Amino acid sequence: MLNYYAAPGLIRNQDRINATIIIEKVSKYFDLTIPGIVSPSRMAKVVMARQISQYILRIKLKMPYKAIGLLFNRDHTSIIHSVKYIRQQLEMKHPADIITHLINIENQLLW
């Protein structure tokens, strides 16, 4: 995995959060494997986990779209779409599922 880390001011604990840790936490949260989350599967659970992972990597680690694409074996435009989709869902009036997922995952990461 690539070595992108959260800036020290963004986390509460001493450990540095990196892309690998984020993908592992999201995989465990959705009860998936890492190969499963980066697979080309279109199952709703896998797609949601993948999109949330990509969103967190982009927003929290400020990773470039191309770098995220390398992690997930996807073109950077697919990553742009995923991040925009999650952002749009968060702007809706009742995005309860996505907010719940993000809050639970971020609590596990101890931002």
Side-chain angles (χ1 to χ4, degrees), residues 93-109:
K93 290 184 180 178
H94 304 289
D97 290 343
I98 291 178
I99 287 177
T100 302
H101 294 319
L102 283 172
I103 288 170
N104 290 335
I105 293 165
E106 289 184 359
N107 284 338
Q108 289 178 11
L109 291 168

Side-chain angles (χ1 to χ4, degrees), residues 30 32 36-51:
F30 282 96
L32 298 168
I37 205 170
V38 299
S39 74
S41 174
R42 292 187 181 190
M43 288 178 32
K45 176 178 162 180
V46 175
V47 171
M48 178 62 67
R50 187 182 306 129
Q51 289 177 331

